[in-house]
Amino acid sequence: MTTTLQQPVRPAPAGRATPHKVLAKAGLYVFLLANAAFVTYLFNAAGVGSNKLVNLGRLTGLYGALAMAFQLLLVARLPWLDKRLGMDKLTSWHRWVGFTIFWMLIGHLTFIAFGNAGDEGPIAEIIRQATELEGILRALVAWAIIMVVGVVSARFARRKLAYETWHFIHLYTYIAIFLAFTHQVAVGSTFRKSALATGYWWGLWAFAIGSVVIGRLVLPFWRNWRHQFRVAAVVPEAHNVVSVYIEGKDLDKLGAKAGQFFLWRFLTKARWWQANPFSLSAAPNGKYLRLTAKALGTGSADIRNIKVGTRVFAEGPYGAFTTMHQTKQNALLVAGGVGITPVRALLEEIKGHVVVLYRVSDPREAVLLRELEGLARTKGAVLRLVTGSSKTITANGPLLGPENIAALVPDVQDRDVFICGPNGMTGAVIRSLSELGVPSNQVHAERFALAN
């Protein structure tokens, strides 16, 4: 029997973000705005000259340096930020801050060059400064690197580049930041004008670089030294799906939550250099961690050949796709494809009454279905397979359209909704929930994008 839509479709209210997200966002905004205000104060305290173009060039350079430091904070993968905002949100911030740096540095070079240009013009002025003044050549190299990274990060270029190529080019940003910092030390008038300014900039860069060192090096190496991860079992789930069980020491103190993911590096001759992001497909229990991978690429396909006892280097846990952000007593979990892995883990841990919508083209593609059925019976949850092609139209409209979701889950407005799957499916569900009036703070979706 089909349940009909019980209330009119209306736009979703904005809703307030969960307290954890509000606190994290507020912290980032306060950090950025307070530092921008202080940088402006230091700029004015150092003395403003009569050349307006040079003044603009100096100020855009200072704001560009601040944005670089802020960028390092965003890519540091600090646990406090990551579990509240999620790596996809931090990556989105990272992208916009990156383009801010791009335009700030264009302004910095342009204003300085035209402001100091004599009869010979701005190009000649740039050449003169590069050959006569300490630190200018380093700044030009940093500027060129940032320009290249900015261009290849634009959408039109990003689509044409392999991820590995883009990632390799992107890593040169760290060299650019180092060169820009040494340029600031060498010729930055605001940097050297007072002890307060010098102390501030050294402190800001130390904090930013220290965050990267702690988040990207110290924490991962310390966790792996402490927990000693190894492959305990490799279990085929289907002809193209395999689950890997990871054992280790003191796993109950790892702090991982259902819905999170790790970057897994299996330390064999053929794979030690590859880090693959896989979600936990079972809630952490203190005894083992489990990932489930589908053979979508060469790296995923090779996992079925990993030997028991293989050492594992794991970075994480990462992600805000957890019950930490649940606002309602009951929940709806929507999964598609390999997105079922974090959803299966969430089903194990989440409280209240749960409905699971598992979107697959064919019921035979439903990975971990028996486990889901068993968990659903144990927890009193409702599990519904939503099957058919993307063009399938039900009696209530498209498979994941607002009418069909409302028919399957009439009280959807009173539930938190956790969505994981392909981008197209995720976007379709979010649009449908918006039309159904589900507040945005009840909708949780995380795309596993990595900030570099």
mmCIF file with all atom_site columns, all heavy atoms in Angstrom, residues 238-241 294 337 340 358-369 385:
data_model
loop_
_atom_site.group_PDB
_atom_site.id
_atom_site.type_symbol
_atom_site.label_atom_id
_atom_site.label_alt_id
_atom_site.label_comp_id
_atom_site.label_asym_id
_atom_site.label_entity_id
_atom_site.label_seq_id
_atom_site.pdbx_PDB_ins_code
_atom_site.Cartn_x
_atom_site.Cartn_y
_atom_site.Cartn_z
_atom_site.occupancy
_atom_site.B_iso_or_equiv
_atom_site.pdbx_formal_charge
_atom_site.auth_seq_id
_atom_site.auth_comp_id
_atom_site.auth_asym_id
_atom_site.auth_atom_id
_atom_site.pdbx_PDB_model_num
ATOM 1   N N   . ALA A 1 238 ? 31.047 -9.635  -2.207  1.00 0.00 ? 238 ALA A N   1
ATOM 2   C CA  . ALA A 1 238 ? 30.419 -9.883  -3.505  1.00 0.00 ? 238 ALA A CA  1
ATOM 3   C C   . ALA A 1 238 ? 31.550 -10.061 -4.514  1.00 0.00 ? 238 ALA A C   1
ATOM 4   O O   . ALA A 1 238 ? 32.734 -9.989  -4.151  1.00 0.00 ? 238 ALA A O   1
ATOM 5   C CB  . ALA A 1 238 ? 29.499 -8.730  -3.897  1.00 0.00 ? 238 ALA A CB  1
ATOM 6   N N   . HIS A 1 239 ? 31.193 -10.268 -5.781  1.00 0.00 ? 239 HIS A N   1
ATOM 7   C CA  . HIS A 1 239 ? 32.239 -10.529 -6.758  1.00 0.00 ? 239 HIS A CA  1
ATOM 8   C C   . HIS A 1 239 ? 33.183 -9.342  -6.935  1.00 0.00 ? 239 HIS A C   1
ATOM 9   O O   . HIS A 1 239 ? 34.345 -9.511  -7.317  1.00 0.00 ? 239 HIS A O   1
ATOM 10  C CB  . HIS A 1 239 ? 31.618 -10.902 -8.108  1.00 0.00 ? 239 HIS A CB  1
ATOM 11  C CG  . HIS A 1 239 ? 30.981 -9.739  -8.823  1.00 0.00 ? 239 HIS A CG  1
ATOM 12  N ND1 . HIS A 1 239 ? 29.738 -9.237  -8.474  1.00 0.00 ? 239 HIS A ND1 1
ATOM 13  C CD2 . HIS A 1 239 ? 31.430 -8.971  -9.853  1.00 0.00 ? 239 HIS A CD2 1
ATOM 14  C CE1 . HIS A 1 239 ? 29.442 -8.219  -9.262  1.00 0.00 ? 239 HIS A CE1 1
ATOM 15  N NE2 . HIS A 1 239 ? 30.441 -8.034  -10.112 1.00 0.00 ? 239 HIS A NE2 1
ATOM 16  N N   . ASN A 1 240 ? 32.725 -8.128  -6.626  1.00 0.00 ? 240 ASN A N   1
ATOM 17  C CA  . ASN A 1 240 ? 33.569 -6.944  -6.790  1.00 0.00 ? 240 ASN A CA  1
ATOM 18  C C   . ASN A 1 240 ? 33.648 -6.095  -5.522  1.00 0.00 ? 240 ASN A C   1
ATOM 19  O O   . ASN A 1 240 ? 33.996 -4.915  -5.574  1.00 0.00 ? 240 ASN A O   1
ATOM 20  C CB  . ASN A 1 240 ? 33.056 -6.084  -7.947  1.00 0.00 ? 240 ASN A CB  1
ATOM 21  C CG  . ASN A 1 240 ? 31.643 -5.563  -7.696  1.00 0.00 ? 240 ASN A CG  1
ATOM 22  O OD1 . ASN A 1 240 ? 30.938 -6.074  -6.821  1.00 0.00 ? 240 ASN A OD1 1
ATOM 23  N ND2 . ASN A 1 240 ? 31.241 -4.563  -8.468  1.00 0.00 ? 240 ASN A ND2 1
ATOM 24  N N   . VAL A 1 241 ? 33.313 -6.687  -4.374  1.00 0.00 ? 241 VAL A N   1
ATOM 25  C CA  . VAL A 1 241 ? 33.308 -5.967  -3.098  1.00 0.00 ? 241 VAL A CA  1
ATOM 26  C C   . VAL A 1 241 ? 34.043 -6.795  -2.056  1.00 0.00 ? 241 VAL A C   1
ATOM 27  O O   . VAL A 1 241 ? 33.840 -8.011  -1.974  1.00 0.00 ? 241 VAL A O   1
ATOM 28  C CB  . VAL A 1 241 ? 31.873 -5.671  -2.622  1.00 0.00 ? 241 VAL A CB  1
ATOM 29  C CG1 . VAL A 1 241 ? 31.887 -4.931  -1.288  1.00 0.00 ? 241 VAL A CG1 1
ATOM 30  C CG2 . VAL A 1 241 ? 31.121 -4.849  -3.665  1.00 0.00 ? 241 VAL A CG2 1
ATOM 31  N N   . LYS A 1 294 ? 34.620 -1.246  -3.007  1.00 0.00 ? 294 LYS A N   1
ATOM 32  C CA  . LYS A 1 294 ? 34.152 -1.777  -4.278  1.00 0.00 ? 294 LYS A CA  1
ATOM 33  C C   . LYS A 1 294 ? 35.228 -1.537  -5.327  1.00 0.00 ? 294 LYS A C   1
ATOM 34  O O   . LYS A 1 294 ? 35.910 -0.511  -5.306  1.00 0.00 ? 294 LYS A O   1
ATOM 35  C CB  . LYS A 1 294 ? 32.851 -1.080  -4.688  1.00 0.00 ? 294 LYS A CB  1
ATOM 36  C CG  . LYS A 1 294 ? 32.155 -1.722  -5.888  1.00 0.00 ? 294 LYS A CG  1
ATOM 37  C CD  . LYS A 1 294 ? 30.797 -1.081  -6.123  1.00 0.00 ? 294 LYS A CD  1
ATOM 38  C CE  . LYS A 1 294 ? 30.068 -1.763  -7.273  1.00 0.00 ? 294 LYS A CE  1
ATOM 39  N NZ  . LYS A 1 294 ? 28.719 -1.169  -7.497  1.00 0.00 ? 294 LYS A NZ  1
ATOM 40  N N   . GLY A 1 337 ? 24.931 3.434   -3.859  1.00 0.00 ? 337 GLY A N   1
ATOM 41  C CA  . GLY A 1 337 ? 26.227 2.878   -4.243  1.00 0.00 ? 337 GLY A CA  1
ATOM 42  C C   . GLY A 1 337 ? 27.089 2.560   -3.038  1.00 0.00 ? 337 GLY A C   1
ATOM 43  O O   . GLY A 1 337 ? 26.608 2.059   -2.010  1.00 0.00 ? 337 GLY A O   1
ATOM 44  N N   . ILE A 1 340 ? 26.733 3.316   0.970   1.00 0.00 ? 340 ILE A N   1
ATOM 45  C CA  . ILE A 1 340 ? 26.096 2.494   1.988   1.00 0.00 ? 340 ILE A CA  1
ATOM 46  C C   . ILE A 1 340 ? 27.039 2.201   3.147   1.00 0.00 ? 340 ILE A C   1
ATOM 47  O O   . ILE A 1 340 ? 26.585 1.918   4.261   1.00 0.00 ? 340 ILE A O   1
ATOM 48  C CB  . ILE A 1 340 ? 25.574 1.158   1.374   1.00 0.00 ? 340 ILE A CB  1
ATOM 49  C CG1 . ILE A 1 340 ? 24.647 0.435   2.359   1.00 0.00 ? 340 ILE A CG1 1
ATOM 50  C CG2 . ILE A 1 340 ? 26.728 0.263   0.958   1.00 0.00 ? 340 ILE A CG2 1
ATOM 51  C CD1 . ILE A 1 340 ? 23.439 1.220   2.776   1.00 0.00 ? 340 ILE A CD1 1
ATOM 52  N N   . TYR A 1 358 ? 17.816 2.758   0.669   1.00 0.00 ? 358 TYR A N   1
ATOM 53  C CA  . TYR A 1 358 ? 19.037 2.272   0.013   1.00 0.00 ? 358 TYR A CA  1
ATOM 54  C C   . TYR A 1 358 ? 18.777 2.283   -1.485  1.00 0.00 ? 358 TYR A C   1
ATOM 55  O O   . TYR A 1 358 ? 18.029 1.468   -2.005  1.00 0.00 ? 358 TYR A O   1
ATOM 56  C CB  . TYR A 1 358 ? 19.356 0.870   0.532   1.00 0.00 ? 358 TYR A CB  1
ATOM 57  C CG  . TYR A 1 358 ? 20.674 0.290   0.077   1.00 0.00 ? 358 TYR A CG  1
ATOM 58  C CD1 . TYR A 1 358 ? 21.567 0.993   -0.721  1.00 0.00 ? 358 TYR A CD1 1
ATOM 59  C CD2 . TYR A 1 358 ? 21.030 -1.006  0.464   1.00 0.00 ? 358 TYR A CD2 1
ATOM 60  C CE1 . TYR A 1 358 ? 22.767 0.438   -1.124  1.00 0.00 ? 358 TYR A CE1 1
ATOM 61  C CE2 . TYR A 1 358 ? 22.234 -1.574  0.073   1.00 0.00 ? 358 TYR A CE2 1
ATOM 62  C CZ  . TYR A 1 358 ? 23.092 -0.848  -0.722  1.00 0.00 ? 358 TYR A CZ  1
ATOM 63  O OH  . TYR A 1 358 ? 24.280 -1.405  -1.123  1.00 0.00 ? 358 TYR A OH  1
ATOM 64  N N   . ARG A 1 359 ? 19.395 3.212   -2.180  1.00 0.00 ? 359 ARG A N   1
ATOM 65  C CA  . ARG A 1 359 ? 19.179 3.410   -3.611  1.00 0.00 ? 359 ARG A CA  1
ATOM 66  C C   . ARG A 1 359 ? 20.165 2.584   -4.437  1.00 0.00 ? 359 ARG A C   1
ATOM 67  O O   . ARG A 1 359 ? 21.379 2.763   -4.339  1.00 0.00 ? 359 ARG A O   1
ATOM 68  C CB  . ARG A 1 359 ? 19.355 4.903   -3.952  1.00 0.00 ? 359 ARG A CB  1
ATOM 69  C CG  . ARG A 1 359 ? 19.441 5.227   -5.434  1.00 0.00 ? 359 ARG A CG  1
ATOM 70  C CD  . ARG A 1 359 ? 18.080 5.153   -6.078  1.00 0.00 ? 359 ARG A CD  1
ATOM 71  N NE  . ARG A 1 359 ? 18.139 5.592   -7.467  1.00 0.00 ? 359 ARG A NE  1
ATOM 72  C CZ  . ARG A 1 359 ? 18.357 4.773   -8.507  1.00 0.00 ? 359 ARG A CZ  1
ATOM 73  N NH1 . ARG A 1 359 ? 18.548 3.482   -8.312  1.00 0.00 ? 359 ARG A NH1 1
ATOM 74  N NH2 . ARG A 1 359 ? 18.385 5.249   -9.737  1.00 0.00 ? 359 ARG A NH2 1
ATOM 75  N N   . VAL A 1 360 ? 19.633 1.631   -5.213  1.00 0.00 ? 360 VAL A N   1
ATOM 76  C CA  . VAL A 1 360 ? 20.449 0.822   -6.113  1.00 0.00 ? 360 VAL A CA  1
ATOM 77  C C   . VAL A 1 360 ? 19.705 0.654   -7.438  1.00 0.00 ? 360 VAL A C   1
ATOM 78  O O   . VAL A 1 360 ? 18.470 0.695   -7.476  1.00 0.00 ? 360 VAL A O   1
ATOM 79  C CB  . VAL A 1 360 ? 20.771 -0.572  -5.526  1.00 0.00 ? 360 VAL A CB  1
ATOM 80  C CG1 . VAL A 1 360 ? 21.742 -0.474  -4.374  1.00 0.00 ? 360 VAL A CG1 1
ATOM 81  C CG2 . VAL A 1 360 ? 19.501 -1.285  -5.095  1.00 0.00 ? 360 VAL A CG2 1
ATOM 82  N N   . SER A 1 361 ? 20.450 0.474   -8.509  1.00 0.00 ? 361 SER A N   1
ATOM 83  C CA  . SER A 1 361 ? 19.814 0.257   -9.808  1.00 0.00 ? 361 SER A CA  1
ATOM 84  C C   . SER A 1 361 ? 19.167 -1.115  -9.882  1.00 0.00 ? 361 SER A C   1
ATOM 85  O O   . SER A 1 361 ? 18.104 -1.295  -10.480 1.00 0.00 ? 361 SER A O   1
ATOM 86  C CB  . SER A 1 361 ? 20.848 0.411   -10.931 1.00 0.00 ? 361 SER A CB  1
ATOM 87  O OG  . SER A 1 361 ? 21.370 1.717   -10.947 1.00 0.00 ? 361 SER A OG  1
ATOM 88  N N   . ASP A 1 362 ? 19.831 -2.089  -9.254  1.00 0.00 ? 362 ASP A N   1
ATOM 89  C CA  . ASP A 1 362 ? 19.364 -3.474  -9.283  1.00 0.00 ? 362 ASP A CA  1
ATOM 90  C C   . ASP A 1 362 ? 19.523 -4.070  -7.896  1.00 0.00 ? 362 ASP A C   1
ATOM 91  O O   . ASP A 1 362 ? 20.557 -3.858  -7.245  1.00 0.00 ? 362 ASP A O   1
ATOM 92  C CB  . ASP A 1 362 ? 20.200 -4.280  -10.290 1.00 0.00 ? 362 ASP A CB  1
ATOM 93  C CG  . ASP A 1 362 ? 19.637 -5.670  -10.539 1.00 0.00 ? 362 ASP A CG  1
ATOM 94  O OD1 . ASP A 1 362 ? 19.578 -6.459  -9.576  1.00 0.00 ? 362 ASP A OD1 1
ATOM 95  O OD2 . ASP A 1 362 ? 19.275 -5.967  -11.693 1.00 0.00 ? 362 ASP A OD2 1
ATOM 96  N N   . PRO A 1 363 ? 18.539 -4.789  -7.368  1.00 0.00 ? 363 PRO A N   1
ATOM 97  C CA  . PRO A 1 363 ? 18.661 -5.370  -6.023  1.00 0.00 ? 363 PRO A CA  1
ATOM 98  C C   . PRO A 1 363 ? 19.909 -6.226  -5.844  1.00 0.00 ? 363 PRO A C   1
ATOM 99  O O   . PRO A 1 363 ? 20.425 -6.346  -4.734  1.00 0.00 ? 363 PRO A O   1
ATOM 100 C CB  . PRO A 1 363 ? 17.378 -6.214  -5.896  1.00 0.00 ? 363 PRO A CB  1
ATOM 101 C CG  . PRO A 1 363 ? 16.404 -5.572  -6.812  1.00 0.00 ? 363 PRO A CG  1
ATOM 102 C CD  . PRO A 1 363 ? 17.214 -5.065  -7.978  1.00 0.00 ? 363 PRO A CD  1
ATOM 103 N N   . ARG A 1 364 ? 20.418 -6.811  -6.929  1.00 0.00 ? 364 ARG A N   1
ATOM 104 C CA  . ARG A 1 364 ? 21.627 -7.629  -6.831  1.00 0.00 ? 364 ARG A CA  1
ATOM 105 C C   . ARG A 1 364 ? 22.870 -6.795  -6.525  1.00 0.00 ? 364 ARG A C   1
ATOM 106 O O   . ARG A 1 364 ? 23.903 -7.339  -6.132  1.00 0.00 ? 364 ARG A O   1
ATOM 107 C CB  . ARG A 1 364 ? 21.825 -8.407  -8.135  1.00 0.00 ? 364 ARG A CB  1
ATOM 108 C CG  . ARG A 1 364 ? 20.767 -9.494  -8.376  1.00 0.00 ? 364 ARG A CG  1
ATOM 109 C CD  . ARG A 1 364 ? 20.883 -10.087 -9.759  1.00 0.00 ? 364 ARG A CD  1
ATOM 110 N NE  . ARG A 1 364 ? 20.599 -9.096  -10.803 1.00 0.00 ? 364 ARG A NE  1
ATOM 111 C CZ  . ARG A 1 364 ? 20.577 -9.357  -12.105 1.00 0.00 ? 364 ARG A CZ  1
ATOM 112 N NH1 . ARG A 1 364 ? 20.855 -10.584 -12.525 1.00 0.00 ? 364 ARG A NH1 1
ATOM 113 N NH2 . ARG A 1 364 ? 20.309 -8.406  -12.980 1.00 0.00 ? 364 ARG A NH2 1
ATOM 114 N N   . GLU A 1 365 ? 22.774 -5.478  -6.682  1.00 0.00 ? 365 GLU A N   1
ATOM 115 C CA  . GLU A 1 365 ? 23.898 -4.595  -6.392  1.00 0.00 ? 365 GLU A CA  1
ATOM 116 C C   . GLU A 1 365 ? 23.889 -4.095  -4.946  1.00 0.00 ? 365 GLU A C   1
ATOM 117 O O   . GLU A 1 365 ? 24.765 -3.318  -4.557  1.00 0.00 ? 365 GLU A O   1
ATOM 118 C CB  . GLU A 1 365 ? 23.861 -3.382  -7.326  1.00 0.00 ? 365 GLU A CB  1
ATOM 119 C CG  . GLU A 1 365 ? 23.994 -3.732  -8.807  1.00 0.00 ? 365 GLU A CG  1
ATOM 120 C CD  . GLU A 1 365 ? 23.846 -2.509  -9.687  1.00 0.00 ? 365 GLU A CD  1
ATOM 121 O OE1 . GLU A 1 365 ? 23.646 -1.408  -9.123  1.00 0.00 ? 365 GLU A OE1 1
ATOM 122 O OE2 . GLU A 1 365 ? 23.930 -2.647  -10.917 1.00 0.00 ? 365 GLU A OE2 1
ATOM 123 N N   . ALA A 1 366 ? 22.947 -4.536  -4.156  1.00 0.00 ? 366 ALA A N   1
ATOM 124 C CA  . ALA A 1 366 ? 22.803 -4.053  -2.781  1.00 0.00 ? 366 ALA A CA  1
ATOM 125 C C   . ALA A 1 366 ? 23.854 -4.695  -1.879  1.00 0.00 ? 366 ALA A C   1
ATOM 126 O O   . ALA A 1 366 ? 23.655 -5.786  -1.336  1.00 0.00 ? 366 ALA A O   1
ATOM 127 C CB  . ALA A 1 366 ? 21.403 -4.336  -2.262  1.00 0.00 ? 366 ALA A CB  1
ATOM 128 N N   . VAL A 1 367 ? 24.974 -4.032  -1.718  1.00 0.00 ? 367 VAL A N   1
ATOM 129 C CA  . VAL A 1 367 ? 26.078 -4.527  -0.892  1.00 0.00 ? 367 VAL A CA  1
ATOM 130 C C   . VAL A 1 367 ? 25.685 -4.477  0.588   1.00 0.00 ? 367 VAL A C   1
ATOM 131 O O   . VAL A 1 367 ? 24.985 -3.563  1.022   1.00 0.00 ? 367 VAL A O   1
ATOM 132 C CB  . VAL A 1 367 ? 27.337 -3.668  -1.136  1.00 0.00 ? 367 VAL A CB  1
ATOM 133 C CG1 . VAL A 1 367 ? 28.493 -4.140  -0.268  1.00 0.00 ? 367 VAL A CG1 1
ATOM 134 C CG2 . VAL A 1 367 ? 27.726 -3.708  -2.607  1.00 0.00 ? 367 VAL A CG2 1
ATOM 135 N N   . LEU A 1 368 ? 26.121 -5.458  1.334   1.00 0.00 ? 368 LEU A N   1
ATOM 136 C CA  . LEU A 1 368 ? 25.890 -5.539  2.788   1.00 0.00 ? 368 LEU A CA  1
ATOM 137 C C   . LEU A 1 368 ? 24.412 -5.609  3.150   1.00 0.00 ? 368 LEU A C   1
ATOM 138 O O   . LEU A 1 368 ? 24.002 -5.257  4.259   1.00 0.00 ? 368 LEU A O   1
ATOM 139 C CB  . LEU A 1 368 ? 26.538 -4.340  3.518   1.00 0.00 ? 368 LEU A CB  1
ATOM 140 C CG  . LEU A 1 368 ? 28.044 -4.120  3.287   1.00 0.00 ? 368 LEU A CG  1
ATOM 141 C CD1 . LEU A 1 368 ? 28.504 -2.860  4.004   1.00 0.00 ? 368 LEU A CD1 1
ATOM 142 C CD2 . LEU A 1 368 ? 28.849 -5.311  3.759   1.00 0.00 ? 368 LEU A CD2 1
ATOM 143 N N   . LEU A 1 369 ? 23.579 -6.094  2.220   1.00 0.00 ? 369 LEU A N   1
ATOM 144 C CA  . LEU A 1 369 ? 22.139 -6.088  2.446   1.00 0.00 ? 369 LEU A CA  1
ATOM 145 C C   . LEU A 1 369 ? 21.746 -6.969  3.629   1.00 0.00 ? 369 LEU A C   1
ATOM 146 O O   . LEU A 1 369 ? 20.904 -6.587  4.446   1.00 0.00 ? 369 LEU A O   1
ATOM 147 C CB  . LEU A 1 369 ? 21.409 -6.540  1.185   1.00 0.00 ? 369 LEU A CB  1
ATOM 148 C CG  . LEU A 1 369 ? 19.875 -6.551  1.259   1.00 0.00 ? 369 LEU A CG  1
ATOM 149 C CD1 . LEU A 1 369 ? 19.348 -5.160  1.609   1.00 0.00 ? 369 LEU A CD1 1
ATOM 150 C CD2 . LEU A 1 369 ? 19.279 -7.042  -0.055  1.00 0.00 ? 369 LEU A CD2 1
ATOM 151 N N   . LEU A 1 385 ? 14.542 -0.729  0.001   1.00 0.00 ? 385 LEU A N   1
ATOM 152 C CA  . LEU A 1 385 ? 15.345 -0.661  -1.214  1.00 0.00 ? 385 LEU A CA  1
ATOM 153 C C   . LEU A 1 385 ? 14.603 0.194   -2.237  1.00 0.00 ? 385 LEU A C   1
ATOM 154 O O   . LEU A 1 385 ? 13.430 -0.048  -2.524  1.00 0.00 ? 385 LEU A O   1
ATOM 155 C CB  . LEU A 1 385 ? 15.584 -2.054  -1.795  1.00 0.00 ? 385 LEU A CB  1
ATOM 156 C CG  . LEU A 1 385 ? 16.695 -2.906  -1.185  1.00 0.00 ? 385 LEU A CG  1
ATOM 157 C CD1 . LEU A 1 385 ? 16.803 -4.220  -1.936  1.00 0.00 ? 385 LEU A CD1 1
ATOM 158 C CD2 . LEU A 1 385 ? 18.025 -2.181  -1.208  1.00 0.00 ? 385 LEU A CD2 1
#
